[in-house]
Amino acid sequence: MTSGVESQRRSPDADLPAALRVRSLDVTFTGRRGTVPAVRGVDLDIAAGEVLVLLGESGSGKSVTARAVMGLLDPGGVRVSSEQIRVAGHDLTSADPEQVRKLRGQTMALVFQDALSALNPVLSIGDQLGEVFRLHRGLSRRAARTEAAELLRLVGIPAPDRRVRDYPHQFSGGMRQRILIAMAVALGPRLLIADEPTTALDVTVQAQILQLVDRLRRELGMGVLLITHDLGVAAEIADRVAVMYAGRIVETGTVAEVLDGPAHPYTAALLRSVPDLAQPGDRLRPIPGSPPNLLALPTGCAFHPRCDRVTEECTVTRPERRPLAVPGRTAACHHAEEAVDAPV
Amino acid sequence: MPPSDHPAGPGPASADPAGSTPVVGTPTALSVSAGPNTSGPLTADSPANGEPLLVATGVRKTYRAGRGLGGRSRVHAVDGVDLTVSAGETLGVVGESGCGKSTLARLLVGLERPDSGQVRYAGLDVGTARGVRRRELRRAVQMVFQDPVASLNPRMPILDVVAEPLDVHRLARGATARRDRVAELLEMVGLSPDMMRRFPHEFSGGQRQRIGIARALATEPRVVVCDEPVSALDVSVQAQVVNLLAELQQRLGIALVFIAHDLGVVRHVSHRVAVMYLGRLAELGPAATVYQDPAHPYTRALLGSVPVRHPRERGRERIVLAGDPPSPVDPPSGCRFHTRCPIAQDVCGRDAPALLVPESDTPTAAGQRLAACHFAGTP
């Protein structure tokens, strides 16, 4: 919808094909308790070298979106459909599973939240990292290990030549997350998807990991889709932000635009509910009610039962996401214009 | 969230605003902090009626670490902590994972007995009290746990979950009194009493945490220790529970110990803050002082790691600590922070610094801050 404008406006590498372009992604889970519309009508655009932060609470569909793009959703019990998914020029919509498998690692890579369970405890780090090179590049074990050490150096692990022989349990949480990132960027992917990469980490280590991701996207020119529930992470690293609620993107814009003038009442409420270190003492203003149940979504706008701008219309008609006056900004709210102009 | 023009960190304006902060929301006596109070601000470290309720002196706790070679290695979880918690006060405890926050919580409520040192409540030793006294302690000092799913029995209706402490301490005679008291407690935490026949799985995360709080309040405790009470909750729900705890604390005048790794939340709820590093206190003092003018380099680094509020602050000067905290199995000698400290000198590796008033601090009426650093206050 807006990718052309945005990639020109934002991208340091405007000539390269967009790292990611998604149109009308739907994901539906079918289970005994009914069908769950986990993701509905998601559009995403990420230029080469750009960081898009996908912001949302648990159950909003962030991780499912990531897995759908990567082709990692288990075919049993889930239906994925989309008009288009393109990763660095490769069309995934029409690709068969084998072609998608080859693109994983090579062209797009995923970093999980839980670094300990994402690593094999009985293989040395060198073997796990090296496996990428042996499988995709056909390198010998020895050559692969050298490459692995080089990767550890790239992600800032001290004494990489020695540590390449160590096992996952010998690394700290932050180091393991670095190793996962190393594994993901091993083959120079055009798109890195990081699913809550710092959620399990302390703030001190989180700051290091975000710096690392930021450096790598510059050095390697990757597009990054970073999934988080933490507004601070977005403020720290995002170029653009897409906010998800109940399976849909409700707002997009540059990070400054969204933080300065949220166009969706949900984003505004989220910003108000987080304590501000610089201005303590005020009462926090929580969002009333609970996150929505996807099995029984409210009529009209899914946010309307918790919204402070709710009107009759919101309870009946679901607002389509539409472009706002500022190029590149979109919002799915009947009252987006009022919301943008309101003081946060 | 008004995007502040001030960079985070030492900066904006005066100490904590006393009556000057406009109280948003219901302007009742329940509003958090900064409420106009005849005797002065509630935010300083001498809140309303500042008698120390819980006093920890030189508390130490080590655990045996695994079944490693010889099994001799020990985790030094808490290593000589002194602190007090007063009625009507919220003491925040922050630090990285593994710094001993949770062990400290368990020591404070008597779920663990210290290897040495003491935790005293109203003159009673929390670790060793037996019989009637132990019951008295259990009643007076309660705990709210991090995981609202794991801490509620899935096979008990909420009525029984909340009533269990009433039964144990024989605080409600008869089924009607029991039910009425549970209804009252549920209302206190913002849940409808109609829900008392339901089971834990029928509630959302935030509601379950409210149930945990209602259960903790059942015995009318004087001290409530909350170990990461909002970390498992969604951002939009966190604020509800944070506000609830602050309201209850003001209304009931309890002493609250609020342990969390989220520095923003701790700043928001706490009168005083303790910063822990590898089992020891690095800094302890009024929240406003510790956050706005940290004296310990670790506190500065911790605050510097908090993500910015706005992208325009990205370039701000900050210390990003290298590496992770060292292992508490074999903690560094001297000052435990010296291996990561940007201003460490030789002495730091040799001598452990005592928790003292930094020389650069001027004495204030609002309460003194303490820091354990040979170079406390050195920028």
Short mmCIF file of all heavy atoms in Angstrom, two decimals, chain A residues 151-191:
data_model
loop_
_atom_site.label_atom_id
_atom_site.label_comp_id
_atom_site.label_asym_id
_atom_site.label_seq_id
_atom_site.Cartn_x
_atom_site.Cartn_y
_atom_site.Cartn_z
N LEU A 151 32.36 -15.94 12.86
CA LEU A 151 31.03 -15.43 13.18
C LEU A 151 30.92 -15.01 14.64
O LEU A 151 30.33 -13.99 14.97
CB LEU A 151 29.98 -16.52 12.94
CG LEU A 151 29.33 -16.59 11.58
CD1 LEU A 151 28.37 -17.77 11.57
CD2 LEU A 151 28.58 -15.31 11.27
N LEU A 152 31.52 -15.83 15.52
CA LEU A 152 31.48 -15.49 16.95
C LEU A 152 32.17 -14.16 17.17
O LEU A 152 31.75 -13.35 17.99
CB LEU A 152 32.15 -16.58 17.79
CG LEU A 152 31.42 -17.92 17.84
CD1 LEU A 152 32.14 -18.89 18.77
CD2 LEU A 152 29.98 -17.76 18.31
N ARG A 153 33.26 -13.95 16.42
CA ARG A 153 33.96 -12.68 16.53
C ARG A 153 33.05 -11.53 16.08
O ARG A 153 32.96 -10.50 16.73
CB ARG A 153 35.23 -12.72 15.66
CG ARG A 153 36.23 -11.60 15.97
CD ARG A 153 37.44 -11.60 15.01
NE ARG A 153 37.92 -12.93 14.65
CZ ARG A 153 38.74 -13.66 15.40
NH1 ARG A 153 39.18 -13.20 16.53
NH2 ARG A 153 39.12 -14.85 15.00
N LEU A 154 32.32 -11.77 14.99
CA LEU A 154 31.43 -10.74 14.45
C LEU A 154 30.39 -10.29 15.47
O LEU A 154 30.04 -9.12 15.56
CB LEU A 154 30.73 -11.27 13.19
CG LEU A 154 29.69 -10.35 12.53
CD1 LEU A 154 30.37 -9.21 11.78
CD2 LEU A 154 28.79 -11.12 11.57
N VAL A 155 29.88 -11.24 16.27
CA VAL A 155 28.84 -10.87 17.22
C VAL A 155 29.42 -10.55 18.60
O VAL A 155 28.69 -10.47 19.59
CB VAL A 155 27.75 -11.97 17.35
CG1 VAL A 155 27.03 -12.14 16.04
CG2 VAL A 155 28.36 -13.28 17.82
N GLY A 156 30.73 -10.40 18.66
CA GLY A 156 31.34 -9.87 19.88
C GLY A 156 31.51 -10.87 21.00
O GLY A 156 31.37 -10.51 22.17
N ILE A 157 31.81 -12.12 20.69
CA ILE A 157 32.12 -13.08 21.75
C ILE A 157 33.63 -13.14 21.93
O ILE A 157 34.35 -13.40 20.98
CB ILE A 157 31.51 -14.46 21.43
CG1 ILE A 157 30.00 -14.34 21.57
CG2 ILE A 157 32.08 -15.54 22.33
CD1 ILE A 157 29.24 -15.60 21.39
N PRO A 158 34.10 -12.89 23.16
CA PRO A 158 35.55 -12.87 23.38
C PRO A 158 36.17 -14.25 23.16
O PRO A 158 35.51 -15.26 23.38
CB PRO A 158 35.68 -12.45 24.85
CG PRO A 158 34.33 -12.01 25.29
CD PRO A 158 33.34 -12.62 24.37
N ALA A 159 37.42 -14.27 22.75
CA ALA A 159 38.19 -15.49 22.51
C ALA A 159 37.43 -16.51 21.65
O ALA A 159 37.25 -17.65 22.04
CB ALA A 159 38.59 -16.13 23.84
N PRO A 160 36.98 -16.11 20.48
CA PRO A 160 36.13 -16.99 19.67
C PRO A 160 36.80 -18.31 19.28
O PRO A 160 36.13 -19.34 19.21
CB PRO A 160 35.81 -16.16 18.43
CG PRO A 160 36.80 -15.07 18.41
CD PRO A 160 37.20 -14.81 19.82
N ASP A 161 38.12 -18.30 19.05
CA ASP A 161 38.77 -19.53 18.60
C ASP A 161 38.71 -20.61 19.67
O ASP A 161 38.67 -21.80 19.37
CB ASP A 161 40.23 -19.24 18.24
CG ASP A 161 40.32 -18.25 17.08
OD1 ASP A 161 39.54 -18.41 16.13
OD2 ASP A 161 41.12 -17.30 17.17
N ARG A 162 38.70 -20.18 20.92
CA ARG A 162 38.61 -21.14 22.01
C ARG A 162 37.15 -21.51 22.28
O ARG A 162 36.79 -22.66 22.43
CB ARG A 162 39.25 -20.54 23.26
CG ARG A 162 39.36 -21.47 24.43
CD ARG A 162 40.29 -20.89 25.50
NE ARG A 162 39.92 -19.52 25.89
CZ ARG A 162 38.93 -19.25 26.73
NH1 ARG A 162 38.20 -20.21 27.24
NH2 ARG A 162 38.65 -18.00 27.05
N ARG A 163 36.30 -20.49 22.31
CA ARG A 163 34.92 -20.72 22.74
C ARG A 163 34.10 -21.51 21.73
O ARG A 163 33.05 -22.04 22.05
CB ARG A 163 34.24 -19.38 23.03
CG ARG A 163 35.00 -18.60 24.06
CD ARG A 163 34.22 -18.24 25.28
NE ARG A 163 33.46 -19.29 25.92
CZ ARG A 163 32.54 -19.02 26.85
NH1 ARG A 163 32.26 -17.80 27.17
NH2 ARG A 163 31.90 -20.00 27.44
N VAL A 164 34.61 -21.60 20.51
CA VAL A 164 33.90 -22.34 19.47
C VAL A 164 33.77 -23.82 19.85
O VAL A 164 32.88 -24.52 19.39
CB VAL A 164 34.63 -22.13 18.12
CG1 VAL A 164 35.80 -23.07 17.98
CG2 VAL A 164 33.69 -22.21 16.95
N ARG A 165 34.62 -24.29 20.77
CA ARG A 165 34.54 -25.68 21.21
C ARG A 165 33.58 -25.89 22.38
O ARG A 165 33.32 -27.01 22.77
CB ARG A 165 35.93 -26.17 21.66
CG ARG A 165 36.91 -26.24 20.53
CD ARG A 165 38.32 -26.55 21.02
NE ARG A 165 39.28 -26.14 20.02
CZ ARG A 165 39.49 -26.82 18.89
NH1 ARG A 165 38.83 -27.94 18.65
NH2 ARG A 165 40.34 -26.38 18.00
N ASP A 166 33.09 -24.79 22.96
CA ASP A 166 32.25 -24.90 24.14
C ASP A 166 30.81 -25.29 23.78
O ASP A 166 30.40 -25.18 22.63
CB ASP A 166 32.24 -23.58 24.92
CG ASP A 166 33.56 -23.36 25.65
OD1 ASP A 166 34.36 -24.31 25.70
OD2 ASP A 166 33.79 -22.24 26.13
N TYR A 167 30.08 -25.73 24.81
CA TYR A 167 28.69 -26.14 24.64
C TYR A 167 27.74 -25.06 25.15
O TYR A 167 28.15 -24.21 25.97
CB TYR A 167 28.47 -27.47 25.39
CG TYR A 167 29.18 -28.61 24.71
CD1 TYR A 167 30.53 -28.84 24.93
CD2 TYR A 167 28.50 -29.41 23.80
CE1 TYR A 167 31.19 -29.85 24.27
CE2 TYR A 167 29.15 -30.43 23.14
CZ TYR A 167 30.51 -30.66 23.36
OH TYR A 167 31.15 -31.65 22.70
N PRO A 168 26.48 -25.09 24.71
CA PRO A 168 25.56 -24.01 25.06
C PRO A 168 25.50 -23.69 26.56
O PRO A 168 25.46 -22.52 26.94
CB PRO A 168 24.21 -24.53 24.56
CG PRO A 168 24.55 -25.37 23.40
CD PRO A 168 25.86 -26.03 23.76
N HIS A 169 25.53 -24.71 27.43
CA HIS A 169 25.35 -24.41 28.86
C HIS A 169 26.54 -23.63 29.42
O HIS A 169 26.45 -23.10 30.52
CB HIS A 169 25.15 -25.71 29.65
CG HIS A 169 26.41 -26.51 29.83
ND1 HIS A 169 26.80 -27.46 28.93
CD2 HIS A 169 27.36 -26.46 30.78
CE1 HIS A 169 27.95 -27.99 29.33
NE2 HIS A 169 28.31 -27.40 30.45
N GLN A 170 27.63 -23.58 28.68
CA GLN A 170 28.79 -22.85 29.17
C GLN A 170 28.73 -21.36 28.86
O GLN A 170 29.63 -20.61 29.20
CB GLN A 170 30.07 -23.47 28.58
CG GLN A 170 30.33 -24.87 29.10
CD GLN A 170 31.43 -25.58 28.33
OE1 GLN A 170 31.25 -25.96 27.17
NE2 GLN A 170 32.57 -25.75 28.96
N PHE A 171 27.66 -20.96 28.18
CA PHE A 171 27.49 -19.54 27.86
C PHE A 171 26.37 -18.94 28.69
O PHE A 171 25.41 -19.63 29.04
CB PHE A 171 27.17 -19.38 26.37
CG PHE A 171 28.31 -19.73 25.46
CD1 PHE A 171 28.51 -21.04 25.05
CD2 PHE A 171 29.18 -18.75 25.01
CE1 PHE A 171 29.56 -21.37 24.22
CE2 PHE A 171 30.23 -19.07 24.17
CZ PHE A 171 30.43 -20.39 23.77
N SER A 172 26.47 -17.65 28.94
CA SER A 172 25.40 -16.95 29.65
C SER A 172 24.25 -16.67 28.71
O SER A 172 24.36 -16.85 27.49
CB SER A 172 25.94 -15.63 30.20
OG SER A 172 26.24 -14.78 29.12
N GLY A 173 23.13 -16.21 29.26
CA GLY A 173 21.95 -15.93 28.45
C GLY A 173 22.22 -14.95 27.32
O GLY A 173 21.81 -15.15 26.19
N GLY A 174 22.94 -13.89 27.64
CA GLY A 174 23.23 -12.88 26.64
C GLY A 174 24.13 -13.42 25.54
O GLY A 174 23.94 -13.14 24.35
N MET A 175 25.11 -14.23 25.95
CA MET A 175 26.03 -14.83 24.97
C MET A 175 25.29 -15.80 24.06
O MET A 175 25.55 -15.86 22.86
CB MET A 175 27.16 -15.57 25.70
CG MET A 175 28.15 -14.65 26.36
SD MET A 175 29.08 -13.70 25.13
CE MET A 175 29.89 -12.51 26.18
N ARG A 176 24.36 -16.57 24.65
CA ARG A 176 23.59 -17.51 23.83
C ARG A 176 22.76 -16.76 22.80
O ARG A 176 22.63 -17.19 21.66
CB ARG A 176 22.65 -18.32 24.72
CG ARG A 176 23.33 -19.41 25.46
CD ARG A 176 22.29 -20.21 26.22
NE ARG A 176 22.90 -20.73 27.42
CZ ARG A 176 22.39 -20.62 28.63
NH1 ARG A 176 21.24 -20.00 28.82
NH2 ARG A 176 23.03 -21.12 29.65
N GLN A 177 22.22 -15.62 23.21
CA GLN A 177 21.42 -14.84 22.26
C GLN A 177 22.33 -14.33 21.13
O GLN A 177 21.93 -14.31 19.98
CB GLN A 177 20.71 -13.71 22.99
CG GLN A 177 19.54 -13.10 22.25
CD GLN A 177 18.49 -14.11 21.82
OE1 GLN A 177 18.60 -14.69 20.74
NE2 GLN A 177 17.49 -14.33 22.64
N ARG A 178 23.56 -13.96 21.49
CA ARG A 178 24.50 -13.55 20.45
C ARG A 178 24.80 -14.70 19.48
O ARG A 178 24.93 -14.51 18.28
CB ARG A 178 25.84 -13.12 21.09
CG ARG A 178 25.78 -11.74 21.70
CD ARG A 178 27.08 -11.45 22.44
NE ARG A 178 26.91 -10.27 23.26
CZ ARG A 178 27.25 -9.04 22.88
NH1 ARG A 178 27.85 -8.84 21.73
NH2 ARG A 178 27.02 -8.02 23.66
N ILE A 179 24.92 -15.91 20.06
CA ILE A 179 25.21 -17.07 19.22
C ILE A 179 24.06 -17.32 18.25
O ILE A 179 24.25 -17.60 17.06
CB ILE A 179 25.48 -18.31 20.09
CG1 ILE A 179 26.81 -18.12 20.84
CG2 ILE A 179 25.50 -19.58 19.26
CD1 ILE A 179 27.03 -19.08 21.98
N LEU A 180 22.83 -17.21 18.75
CA LEU A 180 21.66 -17.39 17.88
C LEU A 180 21.66 -16.36 16.75
O LEU A 180 21.33 -16.67 15.60
CB LEU A 180 20.37 -17.24 18.67
CG LEU A 180 19.81 -18.44 19.39
CD1 LEU A 180 18.34 -18.22 19.65
CD2 LEU A 180 20.01 -19.71 18.59
N ILE A 181 22.03 -15.14 17.11
CA ILE A 181 22.08 -14.09 16.09
C ILE A 181 23.17 -14.42 15.08
O ILE A 181 22.99 -14.28 13.87
CB ILE A 181 22.29 -12.71 16.75
CG1 ILE A 181 21.03 -12.33 17.55
CG2 ILE A 181 22.59 -11.64 15.70
CD1 ILE A 181 21.17 -11.08 18.39
N ALA A 182 24.32 -14.90 15.58
CA ALA A 182 25.41 -15.30 14.69
C ALA A 182 24.93 -16.36 13.71
O ALA A 182 25.18 -16.29 12.50
CB ALA A 182 26.59 -15.84 15.51
N MET A 183 24.20 -17.34 14.25
CA MET A 183 23.70 -18.42 13.42
C MET A 183 22.74 -17.87 12.35
O MET A 183 22.76 -18.31 11.20
CB MET A 183 22.97 -19.41 14.32
CG MET A 183 22.86 -20.80 13.77
SD MET A 183 22.10 -21.86 15.00
CE MET A 183 23.47 -22.19 16.08
N ALA A 184 21.94 -16.92 12.76
CA ALA A 184 20.95 -16.36 11.84
C ALA A 184 21.60 -15.56 10.72
O ALA A 184 21.17 -15.60 9.57
CB ALA A 184 19.95 -15.47 12.60
N VAL A 185 22.68 -14.83 11.03
CA VAL A 185 23.28 -13.98 10.00
C VAL A 185 24.41 -14.67 9.25
O VAL A 185 25.05 -14.07 8.40
CB VAL A 185 23.81 -12.64 10.59
CG1 VAL A 185 22.69 -11.89 11.30
CG2 VAL A 185 24.98 -12.85 11.53
N ALA A 186 24.63 -15.97 9.56
CA ALA A 186 25.77 -16.69 9.00
C ALA A 186 25.86 -16.58 7.49
O ALA A 186 26.94 -16.38 6.92
CB ALA A 186 25.71 -18.16 9.42
N LEU A 187 24.74 -16.72 6.81
CA LEU A 187 24.78 -16.76 5.35
C LEU A 187 24.41 -15.43 4.73
O LEU A 187 24.09 -15.35 3.54
CB LEU A 187 23.85 -17.87 4.84
CG LEU A 187 24.20 -19.28 5.36
CD1 LEU A 187 23.12 -20.26 4.97
CD2 LEU A 187 25.55 -19.73 4.83
N GLY A 188 24.43 -14.38 5.54
CA GLY A 188 24.14 -13.05 5.02
C GLY A 188 22.72 -12.91 4.50
O GLY A 188 22.49 -12.55 3.35
N PRO A 189 21.72 -13.20 5.34
CA PRO A 189 20.33 -13.10 4.88
C PRO A 189 19.95 -11.66 4.58
O PRO A 189 20.56 -10.74 5.10
CB PRO A 189 19.53 -13.63 6.07
CG PRO A 189 20.38 -13.31 7.26
CD PRO A 189 21.80 -13.47 6.77
N ARG A 190 18.94 -11.49 3.73
CA ARG A 190 18.46 -10.14 3.42
C ARG A 190 17.43 -9.69 4.44
O ARG A 190 17.12 -8.51 4.55
CB ARG A 190 17.84 -10.08 2.02
CG ARG A 190 18.71 -10.59 0.87
CD ARG A 190 20.14 -10.13 0.92
NE ARG A 190 20.28 -8.67 1.03
CZ ARG A 190 21.34 -8.06 1.51
NH1 ARG A 190 22.36 -8.77 1.99
NH2 ARG A 190 21.38 -6.77 1.56
N LEU A 191 16.84 -10.67 5.14
CA LEU A 191 15.81 -10.36 6.14
C LEU A 191 16.09 -11.13 7.42
O LEU A 191 16.26 -12.35 7.39
CB LEU A 191 14.42 -10.75 5.61
CG LEU A 191 13.27 -10.61 6.62
CD1 LEU A 191 12.99 -9.16 6.94
CD2 LEU A 191 12.01 -11.30 6.10
#
